[in-house]
Amino acid sequence: MDAALGQQESTAVPVTEERLEIGREVVDTGRAVRLRKQVDTETVPVQEHVATEVVEVERVPVGRVVAEPPGVRHEGDVMVLPVVQERLVTRKELVLVEEIRVSRRRQVAQARADVPLRRERVLVERFDPDTGQWLPEPGS
């Protein structure tokens, strides 16, 4: 800083950046061009959770006389299905013979599978009239 003039001295710092521009020039050579698609398959292992439901059935003997058939009921996650039987005695009576208890539980297990994945590639070929063959295009 120049004290007499009260000014600051500054310096300019140039900032540069390089940029890349890519272009292609199409040149018609008069030759035929053919495109072919090729599919490659790669097998990839996949691991995923698989859930199944297991139903457990428990038979519970009751042996109790009832006036009418009881209805289906639920005790938490357990569905109780009453089973009745008519028995001939000096009088007819309903006897609750057993209850069938049905419950569910969920099981989760790992399952492995090989899953095929496909990838397409396009091959560019030009017909060479000198050799009568299709040749791969450079850079394709």
Side-chain angles (χ1 to χ4, degrees):
M1 177 188 268
D2 187 349
L5 298 176
Q7 295 180 347
Q8 288 187 342
E9 197 176 304
S10 64
T11 302
V13 177
V15 178
T16 61
E17 176 181 305
E18 292 182 344
R19 293 189 180 172
L20 175 64
E21 291 185 22
I22 298 175
R24 291 192 177 173
E25 183 177 327
V26 178
V27 178
D28 186 9
T29 60
R31 293 186 289 172
V33 175
R34 172 172 79 176
L35 300 177
R36 287 190 311 130
K37 182 168 59 171
Q38 181 176 348
V39 177
D40 297 330
T41 301
E42 174 187 359
T43 301
V44 177
V46 175
Q47 188 167 342
E48 187 60 42
H49 290 280
V50 178
T52 56
E53 285 192 9
V54 178
V55 176
E56 296 176 353
V57 176
E58 175 188 4
R59 293 179 175 266
V60 178
V62 176
R64 183 175 70 228
V65 176
V66 294
E68 61 183 43
V72 175
R73 70 180 191 275
H74 291 274
E75 294 177 359
D77 290 342
V78 177
M79 179 173 55
V80 179
L81 303 166
V83 177
V84 294
Q85 176 184 43
E86 285 185 346
R87 292 186 182 165
L88 186 57
V89 288
T90 52
R91 67 178 188 270
K92 187 168 106 174
E93 62 186 8
L94 286 177
V95 176
L96 180 59
V97 178
E98 70 176 339
E99 294 178 333
I100 297 175
R101 298 176 178 265
V102 179
S103 61
R104 291 184 185 180
R105 65 183 162 90
R106 184 180 169 119
Q107 292 180 330
V108 177
Q110 286 284 336
R112 284 188 71 85
D114 291 333
V115 177
L117 299 178
R118 294 180 183 92
R119 180 184 303 134
E120 294 182 345
R121 291 187 300 147
V122 175
L123 306 175
V124 179
E125 299 174 328
R126 287 199 181 272
F127 183 74
D128 186 355
D130 297 334
T131 63
Q133 295 181 349
W134 289 93
L135 301 174
E137 182 68 20
S140 67

